[in-house]
Amino acid sequence: MAADLGEVKDGWRIAGLVVRIALLLILLSGALVTALSFAPSQRTLGEFRAAVAAGRVSAITYRTGGEKRELYELRWSEGPLVWHGIGMVPVRDGPRSYTVAEFTRDIAGVSADVTQLRGHSGDGGIIPDWPFQMPVRGWAVWTGVAWSVTSLIMLASVPRLGNRWAWFWLFTVGQVGAIVFLLLEPRPLWSGAGERPVPRGRLTGAQGCLVSIGLGLLAVAVATGVGRLAGLVLG
């Protein structure tokens, strides 16, 4: 009986590890795509139209605003790792604003994934935008579900490094707390079976809030750096 219980326990441990790795890979891939699109290399509207006409564009994201239905943001990728954008706000077509009607006409018939980003960054409150507004259509479903499932796992467990309030702030204000949670809880992903390091002290809610601010700033800095590095290397 003891052997059978041990096998069942090992089975649950392996299943949990598989789920944990799957969630982590989804969130990491989503974070990478977001980082690459975070600091796109600057292009002109003419270059965008030329890329669309040549069939080089694989994904387009845009954001609208204004009473005239202008484009306030336009980014596109030429392959999964290469992102370009137009820095003018709103986007301009010569002396005029670039309207949604003109944009729709320009991309008519393209096979690229076209995603409209809703509202402005931060409109969802303290919940991070990136898992739910991925710059590639379809990815938002996977990253949104992975982030939500990881949040439920955190709330249903007894975290080792901090209480639930601490992890709440790390998940939200910290932007990448879900990724950190999957890496470190209930034990570091790289630790062996049966190993469970005991921390010196768990973070309180107040401490977690302070740490989350630093983590959020670090996440933005890393995302910007990765985006700019990709722009330099990949053009």
Side-chain angles (χ1 to χ4, degrees):
M1 179 65 70
D4 292 340
L5 289 176
E7 291 176 1
V8 170
K9 185 179 296 186
D10 287 341
W12 278 111
R13 181 181 62 80
I14 293 172
L17 184 62
V18 170
V19 171
R20 183 177 171 187
I21 291 174
L23 293 172
L24 180 61
L25 290 177
I26 292 171
L27 290 175
L28 282 175
S29 61
L32 176 61
V33 172
T34 301
L36 292 176
S37 67
F38 195 79
S41 56
Q42 296 302 304
R43 295 292 189 269
T44 65
L45 184 57
E47 289 173 310
F48 167 70
R49 285 170 167 159
V52 170
R56 300 196 307 267
V57 177
S58 58
I60 302 170
T61 66
Y62 69 100
R63 199 186 306 272
T64 62
E67 295 180 359
K68 298 180 179 179
R69 297 287 291 167
E70 304 161 321
L71 259 70
Y72 269 48
E73 182 180 328
L74 177 60
R75 291 177 290 169
W76 68 95
S77 68
E78 299 180 19
L81 302 179
V82 181
W83 284 85
H84 306 301
I86 297 177
M88 295 180 293
V89 180
V91 178
R92 305 194 69 80
D93 184 7
R96 301 179 297 105
S97 297
Y98 187 45
T99 65
V100 174
E102 293 172 315
F103 169 70
T104 303
R105 184 181 65 244
D106 288 341
I107 65 171
V110 301
S111 58
D113 289 338
V114 182
T115 303
Q116 180 179 5
L117 302 177
R118 303 292 179 180
H120 299 280
S121 179
D123 281 354
I126 61 174
I127 302 298
D129 293 324
W130 69 267
F132 305 95
Q133 289 195 7
M134 288 291 298
V136 180
R137 186 176 60 190
W139 273 101
V141 175
W142 291 99
T143 53
V145 168
W147 189 92
S148 300
V149 170
T150 305
S151 300
L152 292 175
I153 292 173
M154 181 272 291
L155 292 173
S157 64
V158 180
R160 177 176 58 90
L161 298 175
N163 63 26
R164 294 185 185 90
W165 271 113
W167 278 110
F168 169 79
W169 293 115
L170 292 169
F171 268 57
T172 53
V173 177
Q175 295 292 320
V176 293
I179 293 175
V180 176
F181 181 86
L182 291 169
L183 282 171
L184 299 179
E185 296 282 7
R187 57 176 178 267
L189 193 60
W190 53 87
S191 63
E195 296 181 10
R196 186 161 183 167
V198 179
R200 295 180 180 178
R202 300 170 73 212
L203 291 175
T204 64
Q207 291 170 331
C209 183
L210 291 175
V211 172
S212 71
I213 295 173
L215 181 62
L217 293 174
L218 178 62
V220 171
V222 171
T224 303
V226 170
R228 288 179 178 173
L229 178 61
L232 290 173
V233 174
L234 302 173

